[in-house]
Amino acid sequence: MTIKYPTISVIVPHLNQLGALKACLASLEAQSIPRDSFEIIVVDNGSATLPTDVLAQYPGVRLLCEARPGPGPARNTGVAAASGEVLAFIDADCRAHPDWLSSLWRSLHSLPPRTVLGGDVRIWRGTQPHLDAIAAYESVFAYRFKLYIERDGYCGTGNMAMLRRDFHCVGPFAGIDVAEDMEWGQRARRAGLRFQYIPEMIVFHPARNSLQELYVKWDRQLLHYRNMADGKPAWRLRWIAQALLVLASPAPGIITILTSDRLYGIGARTKAIAVMCAVRMHRVITMLSLLRNRRAVAWNR
């Protein structure tokens, strides 16, 4: 494989995750392609402490700052400063498989033009011999990029890549008030781009530590969905219908858990079912509470 610098620009938005960022950068430095074939741009989005000490351990990594809150604006700042032909997006709390960049490079240059790539996101297990309840649940439901791409027509921005010219054809990511990956995907499809799932393009994400963290994640996501629905015809009726579907969804969800190849053993599957039921009930309650008024999205950790 012949790659000349600066072909790939890896863009990493960051907010108050110093330890996770260090692990992310270590995984990027360990990529199987030559280090001078890609650049790494970290965009801080208002951290209490800038990650300068972390970046000092990785010479050549660039640090930028974006004051507007949200991962979308942070990624836009990274894109504006990037010099690569290819844009690769990963989150600060993810770790890239050693072949992540080589997989996306091969795929972009073998697939038809105007293709956006999305990869597989797996739960990082580290040295744990067994999954706890939260990790078991998230192994099945947290990052279903194949489903997002093939059913919903968009890709999560935690593991996405495209040619620079295709990004500029669509335009920048939206701000914090909406789900920027979903909104960008809608515009990309209207612009004639297609999404392709690449299972070999792997990143790992740690499981959340508690049910409360899962609830916070869904509270923010539901605010995005509510804000995107606001003003559309009969949106409240549609919203109530969606809440009722979520209320009924544990039954098929149990089948998904029992047949998933991401879990092994009845113990892990039982734990995943228990967390799924709790999370979906929380989602229903939150959705109904959002019928009353629009709320601002908070972007912080």
Side-chain angles (χ1 to χ4, degrees):
M1 182 190 304
T2 302
I3 304 177
K4 296 181 179 179
Y5 179 84
T7 295
I8 305 174
S9 296
V10 181
I11 297 167
V12 188
H14 170 262
L15 178 62
N16 294 327
Q17 295 175 292
L18 297 176
L21 177 62
K22 182 176 180 180
C24 177
L25 295 179
S27 73
L28 293 173
E29 293 287 352
Q31 290 296 292
S32 58
I33 64 174
R35 180 61 182 86
D36 63 356
S37 63
F38 63 97
E39 64 178 355
I40 304 172
I41 301 173
V42 174
V43 186
D44 190 81
N45 199 212
S47 295
T49 302
L50 283 175
T52 49
D53 289 346
V54 172
L55 268 65
Q57 302 173 50
Y58 301 97
V61 177
R62 299 167 62 189
L63 175 62
L64 305 175
C65 294
E66 172 52 61
R68 291 171 295 174
R75 292 188 182 98
N76 295 337
T77 295
V79 170
S83 54
E85 171 194 357
V86 174
L87 302 175
F89 298 97
I90 187 171
D91 288 340
D93 53 359
C94 291
R95 307 181 191 208
H97 186 282
D99 294 327
W100 180 58
L101 288 178
S102 64
S103 296
L104 70 85
W105 172 265
R106 287 193 303 269
S107 298
L108 274 178
H109 290 81
S110 63
L111 290 168
R114 300 172 65 77
T115 299
V116 179
L117 306 183
D120 187 12
V121 179
R122 303 179 184 177
I123 294 300
W124 175 257
R125 297 186 60 166
T127 58
Q128 285 184 311
H130 303 290
L131 294 174
D132 63 24
I134 304 298
Y137 164 81
E138 291 207 293
S139 293
V140 179
F141 292 111
Y143 304 101
R144 307 173 74 180
F145 277 36
K146 186 175 190 291
L147 183 69
Y148 304 155
I149 291 169
E150 296 179 354
R151 185 193 70 185
D152 301 328
Y154 77 96
C155 177
T157 39
N159 186 5
M160 184 167 75
M162 71 209 72
L163 294 176
R164 166 193 287 278
R165 63 173 179 265
D166 292 334
F167 178 87
H168 289 302
C169 176
V170 179
F173 294 110
I176 196 172
D177 288 337
V178 300
E180 86 282 353
D181 48 6
M182 184 181 296
E183 193 274 342
W184 193 89
Q186 293 170 350
R187 284 189 284 124
R189 295 197 308 277
R190 291 197 295 268
L193 275 64
R194 62 185 291 270
F195 288 80
Q196 179 68 45
Y197 175 69
I198 308 297
E200 301 83 12
M201 187 176 145
I202 300 167
V203 304
F204 300 92
H205 193 290
R208 287 166 179 83
N209 295 314
S210 66
L211 264 177
Q212 186 58 40
E213 288 189 10
L214 283 175
Y215 293 164
V216 169
K217 171 216 169 182
W218 271 109
D219 289 348
R220 184 173 63 247
Q221 197 68 27
L222 290 170
L223 277 172
H224 287 154
Y225 295 158
R226 195 269 190 211
N227 291 343
M228 293 172 73
D230 197 5
K232 294 181 179 178
W235 78 266
R236 283 187 171 84
L237 289 176
R238 295 172 183 269
W239 190 257
I240 293 171
Q242 289 170 357
L244 293 175
L245 286 175
V246 174
L247 184 63
S249 67
I254 290 172
I255 297 174
T256 299
I257 290 171
L258 293 177
T259 57
S260 173
D261 61 0
R262 300 281 174 108
L263 295 176
Y264 302 95
I266 191 63
R269 297 179 196 276
T270 301
K271 290 186 285 188
I273 289 171
V275 174
M276 177 198 67
C277 291
V279 168
R280 298 202 178 175
M281 183 56 65
H282 176 83
R283 287 170 57 187
V284 172
I285 293 170
T286 302
M287 289 180 74
L288 295 178
S289 74
L290 290 175
L291 282 170
R292 292 193 295 271
N293 51 57
R294 184 185 180 108
R295 302 179 196 165
V297 179
W299 174 238
N300 58 60
R301 293 184 175 88

